[in-house]
């Protein structure tokens, strides 16, 4: 479960940004070698070249970890993203934006859960529910058109939230 789309995309992009930044710092390692000693002395480190090597060593170690995280994100056997949305315009728009961005990051996403669907058989005589079913039908059709090769699951609008393990199992 993640935050709204914009926050999620920034989170997923963070390892790539960090990898690029650390890569640039490591490429400057040779040029900055002597400068690290000077900076170390300015910060009260006594100009110990060994300290500069330790800092650069930690950066290299961090870069290795970030590269592994990126590899895991891009491995569909380890990571897949399930988009959860509702059948309304803004949610459809945000889902499409998310799917496009995930494709750029090479993160697998072939599942969409459409939540809060009102099925026609429960409408009865309610004009409001009838209108909502018509509106949702339009967006459901667009979801199926956009994601024809995705696994799409529709879940009904319920009277109460599904909260807790026991309620989830009963659902």
């Amino acid at each position: 479960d993640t935050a709204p789309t914009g926050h999620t995309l920034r989170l997923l992009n963070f390892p790539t940004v960090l990898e690029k930044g650390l890569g640039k710092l490591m490429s400057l390692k040779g040029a900055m070698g002597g400068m690290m000693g000077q900076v170390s002395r300015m910060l009260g480190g006594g100009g110990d070249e060994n300290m500069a090597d330790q800092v650069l060593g930690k950066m290299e170690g961090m870069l290795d970890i970030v590269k592994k995280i990126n590899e895991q994100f891009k491995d569909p056997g380890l990571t897949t993203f399930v988009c959860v949305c509702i059948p309304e315009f803004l949610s459809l728009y945000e889902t499409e934006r998310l799917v496009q961005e995930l494709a750029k990051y090479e993160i697998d996403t072939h599942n969409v859960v459409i939540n809060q669907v009102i099925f026609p058989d429960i409408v009865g005589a309610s004009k409001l529910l009838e209108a909502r079913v018509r509106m949702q039908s339009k967006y459901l059709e667009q979801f199926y058109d956009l994601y024809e090769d995705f696994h799409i699951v529709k879940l009904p609008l319920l009277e109460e939230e599904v909260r807790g393990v026991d309620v989830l199992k009963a659902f």
Side-chain angles (χ1 to χ4, degrees), residues 83-131:
C83 301
V84 179
C85 55
I86 58 175
E88 294 182 4
F89 171 77
L90 187 56
S91 188
L92 174 66
Y93 172 81
E94 285 294 305
T95 301
E96 178 58 13
R97 181 174 151 227
L98 178 63
V99 167
Q100 294 299 321
E101 288 296 317
L102 290 171
K104 286 181 191 173
Y105 298 142
E106 300 175 46
I107 297 174
D108 179 66
T109 179
H110 283 91
N111 300 285
V112 176
V113 174
I114 306 173
N115 209 356
Q116 300 181 11
V117 175
I118 301 170
F119 292 93
D121 58 328
I122 66 151
V123 170
S126 171
K127 296 288 185 198
L128 173 64
L129 290 180
E130 195 176 291

Short mmCIF file of all heavy atoms in Angstrom, two decimals, residues 83-131:
data_model
loop_
_atom_site.label_atom_id
_atom_site.label_comp_id
_atom_site.label_asym_id
_atom_site.label_seq_id
_atom_site.Cartn_x
_atom_site.Cartn_y
_atom_site.Cartn_z
N CYS A 83 -2.29 -1.73 -9.05
CA CYS A 83 -2.96 -0.43 -8.98
C CYS A 83 -4.37 -0.62 -8.43
O CYS A 83 -5.10 -1.49 -8.90
CB CYS A 83 -3.04 0.19 -10.37
SG CYS A 83 -1.44 0.43 -11.15
N VAL A 84 -4.72 0.16 -7.44
CA VAL A 84 -6.06 0.12 -6.85
C VAL A 84 -6.70 1.46 -7.10
O VAL A 84 -6.12 2.51 -6.82
CB VAL A 84 -6.01 -0.19 -5.34
CG1 VAL A 84 -7.41 -0.20 -4.74
CG2 VAL A 84 -5.30 -1.51 -5.09
N CYS A 85 -7.92 1.43 -7.66
CA CYS A 85 -8.57 2.67 -8.05
C CYS A 85 -10.08 2.53 -7.88
O CYS A 85 -10.57 1.49 -7.45
CB CYS A 85 -8.23 3.00 -9.50
SG CYS A 85 -8.62 1.64 -10.61
N ILE A 86 -10.81 3.56 -8.25
CA ILE A 86 -12.28 3.53 -8.27
C ILE A 86 -12.72 3.96 -9.67
O ILE A 86 -11.97 4.63 -10.37
CB ILE A 86 -12.89 4.42 -7.17
CG1 ILE A 86 -12.45 5.87 -7.30
CG2 ILE A 86 -12.57 3.87 -5.78
CD1 ILE A 86 -13.11 6.83 -6.32
N PRO A 87 -13.92 3.58 -10.08
CA PRO A 87 -14.36 3.89 -11.44
C PRO A 87 -14.87 5.33 -11.61
O PRO A 87 -16.06 5.59 -11.79
CB PRO A 87 -15.47 2.86 -11.70
CG PRO A 87 -16.02 2.56 -10.36
CD PRO A 87 -14.87 2.70 -9.40
N GLU A 88 -13.93 6.26 -11.53
CA GLU A 88 -14.23 7.68 -11.72
C GLU A 88 -13.11 8.31 -12.54
O GLU A 88 -12.01 7.76 -12.61
CB GLU A 88 -14.37 8.40 -10.37
CG GLU A 88 -15.58 7.92 -9.57
CD GLU A 88 -15.75 8.66 -8.26
OE1 GLU A 88 -14.97 9.61 -7.97
OE2 GLU A 88 -16.66 8.29 -7.50
N PHE A 89 -13.38 9.48 -13.11
CA PHE A 89 -12.43 10.12 -14.02
C PHE A 89 -11.05 10.32 -13.40
O PHE A 89 -10.04 9.91 -13.97
CB PHE A 89 -12.97 11.47 -14.52
CG PHE A 89 -11.93 12.24 -15.29
CD1 PHE A 89 -11.62 11.89 -16.59
CD2 PHE A 89 -11.22 13.27 -14.69
CE1 PHE A 89 -10.62 12.56 -17.30
CE2 PHE A 89 -10.22 13.95 -15.38
CZ PHE A 89 -9.93 13.59 -16.68
N LEU A 90 -10.98 11.00 -12.26
CA LEU A 90 -9.68 11.33 -11.68
C LEU A 90 -8.88 10.08 -11.34
O LEU A 90 -7.67 10.03 -11.56
CB LEU A 90 -9.85 12.21 -10.43
CG LEU A 90 -8.56 12.77 -9.83
CD1 LEU A 90 -7.78 13.57 -10.87
CD2 LEU A 90 -8.87 13.63 -8.63
N SER A 91 -9.56 9.07 -10.84
CA SER A 91 -8.87 7.83 -10.50
C SER A 91 -8.34 7.14 -11.75
O SER A 91 -7.23 6.60 -11.75
CB SER A 91 -9.81 6.91 -9.74
OG SER A 91 -9.12 5.80 -9.24
N LEU A 92 -9.11 7.14 -12.82
CA LEU A 92 -8.66 6.58 -14.10
C LEU A 92 -7.42 7.34 -14.60
O LEU A 92 -6.43 6.74 -15.00
CB LEU A 92 -9.78 6.65 -15.14
CG LEU A 92 -9.44 6.23 -16.57
CD1 LEU A 92 -9.10 4.75 -16.64
CD2 LEU A 92 -10.60 6.55 -17.50
N TYR A 93 -7.48 8.65 -14.54
CA TYR A 93 -6.37 9.50 -14.97
C TYR A 93 -5.11 9.21 -14.15
O TYR A 93 -4.02 9.04 -14.70
CB TYR A 93 -6.78 10.98 -14.83
CG TYR A 93 -5.66 11.95 -15.06
CD1 TYR A 93 -5.28 12.30 -16.36
CD2 TYR A 93 -4.96 12.51 -13.99
CE1 TYR A 93 -4.23 13.20 -16.58
CE2 TYR A 93 -3.92 13.40 -14.20
CZ TYR A 93 -3.56 13.74 -15.49
OH TYR A 93 -2.53 14.61 -15.70
N GLU A 94 -5.26 9.15 -12.82
CA GLU A 94 -4.11 8.90 -11.94
C GLU A 94 -3.55 7.49 -12.16
O GLU A 94 -2.34 7.29 -12.10
CB GLU A 94 -4.49 9.08 -10.47
CG GLU A 94 -4.63 10.53 -10.07
CD GLU A 94 -3.30 11.27 -10.12
OE1 GLU A 94 -2.33 10.84 -9.48
OE2 GLU A 94 -3.22 12.30 -10.80
N THR A 95 -4.43 6.53 -12.40
CA THR A 95 -3.97 5.16 -12.65
C THR A 95 -3.16 5.11 -13.93
O THR A 95 -2.09 4.49 -13.98
CB THR A 95 -5.17 4.19 -12.71
OG1 THR A 95 -5.87 4.25 -11.46
CG2 THR A 95 -4.72 2.76 -12.99
N GLU A 96 -3.63 5.77 -14.97
CA GLU A 96 -2.90 5.78 -16.23
C GLU A 96 -1.55 6.47 -16.06
O GLU A 96 -0.53 6.02 -16.58
CB GLU A 96 -3.72 6.46 -17.33
CG GLU A 96 -3.03 6.57 -18.66
CD GLU A 96 -2.59 5.24 -19.27
OE1 GLU A 96 -3.02 4.16 -18.81
OE2 GLU A 96 -1.79 5.27 -20.22
N ARG A 97 -1.53 7.57 -15.34
CA ARG A 97 -0.27 8.27 -15.07
C ARG A 97 0.70 7.34 -14.34
O ARG A 97 1.88 7.26 -14.68
CB ARG A 97 -0.58 9.51 -14.23
CG ARG A 97 0.61 10.34 -13.90
CD ARG A 97 0.18 11.63 -13.18
NE ARG A 97 1.26 12.04 -12.31
CZ ARG A 97 1.13 12.41 -11.07
NH1 ARG A 97 -0.03 12.45 -10.50
NH2 ARG A 97 2.17 12.76 -10.35
N LEU A 98 0.19 6.62 -13.34
CA LEU A 98 1.02 5.70 -12.57
C LEU A 98 1.55 4.57 -13.45
O LEU A 98 2.74 4.27 -13.42
CB LEU A 98 0.22 5.12 -11.40
CG LEU A 98 0.93 4.10 -10.52
CD1 LEU A 98 2.14 4.72 -9.83
CD2 LEU A 98 -0.03 3.53 -9.49
N VAL A 99 0.70 3.97 -14.26
CA VAL A 99 1.11 2.86 -15.13
C VAL A 99 2.19 3.32 -16.10
O VAL A 99 3.19 2.62 -16.32
CB VAL A 99 -0.10 2.26 -15.87
CG1 VAL A 99 0.32 1.33 -17.00
CG2 VAL A 99 -1.02 1.53 -14.89
N GLN A 100 2.04 4.51 -16.68
CA GLN A 100 3.03 5.03 -17.62
C GLN A 100 4.38 5.26 -16.93
O GLN A 100 5.43 4.94 -17.47
CB GLN A 100 2.54 6.33 -18.27
CG GLN A 100 1.34 6.16 -19.17
CD GLN A 100 1.61 5.24 -20.34
OE1 GLN A 100 2.68 5.26 -20.93
NE2 GLN A 100 0.63 4.41 -20.67
N GLU A 101 4.34 5.84 -15.74
CA GLU A 101 5.58 6.11 -15.01
C GLU A 101 6.25 4.81 -14.57
O GLU A 101 7.47 4.68 -14.64
CB GLU A 101 5.32 7.01 -13.80
CG GLU A 101 5.00 8.44 -14.17
CD GLU A 101 6.16 9.16 -14.85
OE1 GLU A 101 7.32 9.03 -14.41
OE2 GLU A 101 5.91 9.85 -15.85
N LEU A 102 5.46 3.84 -14.11
CA LEU A 102 6.03 2.56 -13.71
C LEU A 102 6.71 1.89 -14.91
O LEU A 102 7.76 1.26 -14.76
CB LEU A 102 4.96 1.65 -13.12
CG LEU A 102 4.41 2.07 -11.75
CD1 LEU A 102 3.21 1.22 -11.37
CD2 LEU A 102 5.48 2.02 -10.68
N ALA A 103 6.12 2.03 -16.07
CA ALA A 103 6.73 1.47 -17.29
C ALA A 103 8.08 2.14 -17.55
O ALA A 103 9.05 1.46 -17.92
CB ALA A 103 5.79 1.63 -18.48
N LYS A 104 8.16 3.45 -17.34
CA LYS A 104 9.44 4.15 -17.52
C LYS A 104 10.50 3.62 -16.55
O LYS A 104 11.67 3.53 -16.90
CB LYS A 104 9.27 5.65 -17.28
CG LYS A 104 8.58 6.39 -18.40
CD LYS A 104 8.49 7.87 -18.06
CE LYS A 104 7.58 8.61 -18.99
NZ LYS A 104 7.38 10.01 -18.56
N TYR A 105 10.08 3.29 -15.32
CA TYR A 105 11.00 2.78 -14.31
C TYR A 105 11.23 1.28 -14.48
O TYR A 105 11.96 0.68 -13.69
CB TYR A 105 10.48 3.03 -12.90
CG TYR A 105 10.31 4.48 -12.54
CD1 TYR A 105 9.22 4.89 -11.77
CD2 TYR A 105 11.21 5.46 -12.94
CE1 TYR A 105 9.05 6.21 -11.41
CE2 TYR A 105 11.03 6.78 -12.59
CZ TYR A 105 9.95 7.16 -11.82
OH TYR A 105 9.78 8.47 -11.48
N GLU A 106 10.58 0.67 -15.48
CA GLU A 106 10.67 -0.77 -15.75
C GLU A 106 10.18 -1.61 -14.57
O GLU A 106 10.72 -2.66 -14.26
CB GLU A 106 12.11 -1.16 -16.12
CG GLU A 106 12.63 -0.45 -17.35
CD GLU A 106 14.09 -0.76 -17.62
OE1 GLU A 106 14.46 -1.94 -17.56
OE2 GLU A 106 14.85 0.20 -17.87
N ILE A 107 9.12 -1.12 -13.90
CA ILE A 107 8.52 -1.84 -12.78
C ILE A 107 7.25 -2.52 -13.29
O ILE A 107 6.39 -1.89 -13.90
CB ILE A 107 8.21 -0.89 -11.61
CG1 ILE A 107 9.51 -0.30 -11.07
CG2 ILE A 107 7.45 -1.62 -10.51
CD1 ILE A 107 9.32 0.76 -10.01
N ASP A 108 7.16 -3.82 -13.03
CA ASP A 108 6.03 -4.62 -13.51
C ASP A 108 4.72 -4.15 -12.89
O ASP A 108 4.62 -3.94 -11.69
CB ASP A 108 6.26 -6.09 -13.14
CG ASP A 108 5.10 -6.96 -13.58
OD1 ASP A 108 4.90 -7.09 -14.80
OD2 ASP A 108 4.39 -7.49 -12.71
N THR A 109 3.72 -3.99 -13.74
CA THR A 109 2.36 -3.73 -13.28
C THR A 109 1.40 -4.26 -14.33
O THR A 109 1.35 -3.76 -15.45
CB THR A 109 2.11 -2.23 -12.99
OG1 THR A 109 0.77 -2.06 -12.58
CG2 THR A 109 2.38 -1.34 -14.16
N HIS A 110 0.71 -5.31 -13.98
CA HIS A 110 -0.28 -5.90 -14.89
C HIS A 110 -1.56 -6.26 -14.17
O HIS A 110 -2.31 -7.12 -14.61
CB HIS A 110 0.31 -7.13 -15.59
CG HIS A 110 1.26 -6.76 -16.68
ND1 HIS A 110 2.61 -6.60 -16.48
CD2 HIS A 110 1.04 -6.46 -17.98
CE1 HIS A 110 3.18 -6.24 -17.60
NE2 HIS A 110 2.26 -6.14 -18.53
N ASN A 111 -1.78 -5.61 -13.03
CA ASN A 111 -2.96 -5.88 -12.22
C ASN A 111 -3.61 -4.57 -11.81
O ASN A 111 -2.92 -3.65 -11.36
CB ASN A 111 -2.59 -6.66 -10.95
CG ASN A 111 -1.95 -7.99 -11.27
OD1 ASN A 111 -2.61 -8.91 -11.67
ND2 ASN A 111 -0.63 -8.06 -11.10
N VAL A 112 -4.94 -4.52 -11.97
CA VAL A 112 -5.69 -3.35 -11.54
C VAL A 112 -6.88 -3.85 -10.73
O VAL A 112 -7.62 -4.73 -11.17
CB VAL A 112 -6.21 -2.51 -12.74
CG1 VAL A 112 -7.09 -1.36 -12.26
CG2 VAL A 112 -5.04 -1.98 -13.56
N VAL A 113 -7.04 -3.30 -9.54
CA VAL A 113 -8.21 -3.57 -8.72
C VAL A 113 -9.08 -2.33 -8.75
O VAL A 113 -8.62 -1.23 -8.40
CB VAL A 113 -7.82 -3.90 -7.26
CG1 VAL A 113 -9.06 -4.05 -6.38
CG2 VAL A 113 -6.96 -5.17 -7.20
N ILE A 114 -10.30 -2.50 -9.22
CA ILE A 114 -11.25 -1.38 -9.26
C ILE A 114 -12.21 -1.57 -8.09
O ILE A 114 -12.99 -2.52 -8.06
CB ILE A 114 -12.00 -1.30 -10.60
CG1 ILE A 114 -11.00 -1.26 -11.76
CG2 ILE A 114 -12.91 -0.07 -10.62
CD1 ILE A 114 -11.64 -1.35 -13.13
N ASN A 115 -12.12 -0.68 -7.15
CA ASN A 115 -12.85 -0.77 -5.89
C ASN A 115 -14.13 0.07 -5.95
O ASN A 115 -14.24 0.98 -6.77
CB ASN A 115 -11.94 -0.28 -4.76
CG ASN A 115 -12.22 -0.91 -3.44
OD1 ASN A 115 -13.16 -1.69 -3.30
ND2 ASN A 115 -11.41 -0.58 -2.46
N GLN A 116 -15.07 -0.21 -5.07
CA GLN A 116 -16.30 0.57 -4.89
C GLN A 116 -17.20 0.56 -6.12
O GLN A 116 -17.88 1.54 -6.43
CB GLN A 116 -15.97 2.01 -4.48
CG GLN A 116 -15.22 2.10 -3.17
CD GLN A 116 -14.93 3.53 -2.77
OE1 GLN A 116 -15.44 4.48 -3.34
NE2 GLN A 116 -14.10 3.68 -1.75
N VAL A 117 -17.23 -0.57 -6.82
CA VAL A 117 -18.08 -0.70 -8.00
C VAL A 117 -19.51 -0.98 -7.54
O VAL A 117 -19.75 -1.83 -6.68
CB VAL A 117 -17.59 -1.83 -8.93
CG1 VAL A 117 -18.55 -2.04 -10.10
CG2 VAL A 117 -16.19 -1.54 -9.42
N ILE A 118 -20.47 -0.26 -8.13
CA ILE A 118 -21.89 -0.52 -7.87
C ILE A 118 -22.39 -1.40 -9.01
O ILE A 118 -22.41 -0.98 -10.17
CB ILE A 118 -22.70 0.79 -7.80
CG1 ILE A 118 -22.13 1.70 -6.70
CG2 ILE A 118 -24.18 0.49 -7.54
CD1 ILE A 118 -22.70 3.11 -6.70
N PHE A 119 -22.78 -2.62 -8.66
CA PHE A 119 -23.26 -3.56 -9.67
C PHE A 119 -24.75 -3.33 -9.92
O PHE A 119 -25.51 -3.07 -8.97
CB PHE A 119 -22.97 -4.99 -9.23
CG PHE A 119 -21.50 -5.32 -9.23
CD1 PHE A 119 -20.73 -5.17 -8.08
CD2 PHE A 119 -20.87 -5.73 -10.40
CE1 PHE A 119 -19.37 -5.45 -8.09
CE2 PHE A 119 -19.52 -6.00 -10.41
CZ PHE A 119 -18.76 -5.86 -9.25
N PRO A 120 -25.19 -3.40 -11.18
CA PRO A 120 -26.59 -3.10 -11.54
C PRO A 120 -27.64 -3.91 -10.79
O PRO A 120 -28.73 -3.40 -10.52
CB PRO A 120 -26.65 -3.41 -13.04
CG PRO A 120 -25.24 -3.30 -13.52
CD PRO A 120 -24.38 -3.71 -12.35
N ASP A 121 -27.32 -5.13 -10.39
CA ASP A 121 -28.32 -5.98 -9.74
C ASP A 121 -28.72 -5.51 -8.34
O ASP A 121 -29.72 -5.98 -7.79
CB ASP A 121 -27.84 -7.44 -9.69
CG ASP A 121 -26.51 -7.61 -8.97
OD1 ASP A 121 -25.68 -6.70 -9.04
OD2 ASP A 121 -26.32 -8.68 -8.35
N ILE A 122 -28.00 -4.55 -7.75
CA ILE A 122 -28.37 -4.05 -6.42
C ILE A 122 -29.04 -2.68 -6.46
O ILE A 122 -29.40 -2.14 -5.43
CB ILE A 122 -27.15 -4.00 -5.47
CG1 ILE A 122 -26.13 -2.96 -5.94
CG2 ILE A 122 -26.51 -5.35 -5.31
CD1 ILE A 122 -25.34 -2.37 -4.83
N VAL A 123 -29.19 -2.10 -7.63
CA VAL A 123 -29.71 -0.74 -7.77
C VAL A 123 -31.14 -0.60 -7.25
O VAL A 123 -31.46 0.36 -6.57
CB VAL A 123 -29.61 -0.26 -9.24
CG1 VAL A 123 -30.36 1.04 -9.44
CG2 VAL A 123 -28.16 -0.11 -9.63
N GLY A 124 -32.00 -1.54 -7.58
CA GLY A 124 -33.40 -1.44 -7.17
C GLY A 124 -34.06 -0.23 -7.79
O GLY A 124 -33.86 0.07 -8.97
N ALA A 125 -34.78 0.53 -6.98
CA ALA A 125 -35.52 1.70 -7.49
C ALA A 125 -34.77 3.01 -7.25
O ALA A 125 -35.32 4.08 -7.47
CB ALA A 125 -36.90 1.76 -6.82
N SER A 126 -33.53 2.92 -6.84
CA SER A 126 -32.77 4.13 -6.51
C SER A 126 -32.27 4.83 -7.78
O SER A 126 -31.46 4.28 -8.52
CB SER A 126 -31.58 3.77 -5.62
OG SER A 126 -30.74 4.89 -5.46
N LYS A 127 -32.76 6.05 -7.98
CA LYS A 127 -32.30 6.86 -9.12
C LYS A 127 -30.83 7.25 -8.96
O LYS A 127 -30.10 7.32 -9.94
CB LYS A 127 -33.16 8.13 -9.26
CG LYS A 127 -34.60 7.85 -9.58
CD LYS A 127 -34.73 7.38 -11.00
CE LYS A 127 -36.21 7.21 -11.34
NZ LYS A 127 -36.41 6.38 -12.50
N LEU A 128 -30.43 7.49 -7.72
CA LEU A 128 -29.04 7.86 -7.46
C LEU A 128 -28.11 6.71 -7.84
O LEU A 128 -27.12 6.91 -8.56
CB LEU A 128 -28.83 8.23 -5.98
CG LEU A 128 -27.38 8.47 -5.55
CD1 LEU A 128 -26.80 9.68 -6.28
CD2 LEU A 128 -27.29 8.65 -4.05
N LEU A 129 -28.41 5.51 -7.37
CA LEU A 129 -27.56 4.36 -7.70
C LEU A 129 -27.58 4.08 -9.19
O LEU A 129 -26.55 3.72 -9.77
CB LEU A 129 -27.99 3.13 -6.91
CG LEU A 129 -27.71 3.16 -5.40
CD1 LEU A 129 -28.19 1.87 -4.75
CD2 LEU A 129 -26.25 3.40 -5.10
N GLU A 130 -28.74 4.25 -9.82
CA GLU A 130 -28.85 4.05 -11.27
C GLU A 130 -27.92 5.01 -12.02
O GLU A 130 -27.23 4.63 -12.96
CB GLU A 130 -30.31 4.27 -11.69
CG GLU A 130 -30.65 3.77 -13.05
CD GLU A 130 -32.14 3.95 -13.32
OE1 GLU A 130 -32.95 3.27 -12.68
OE2 GLU A 130 -32.46 4.81 -14.19
N ALA A 131 -27.91 6.27 -11.58
CA ALA A 131 -27.05 7.28 -12.20
C ALA A 131 -25.58 6.94 -11.97
O ALA A 131 -24.74 7.08 -12.87
CB ALA A 131 -27.37 8.66 -11.65
#
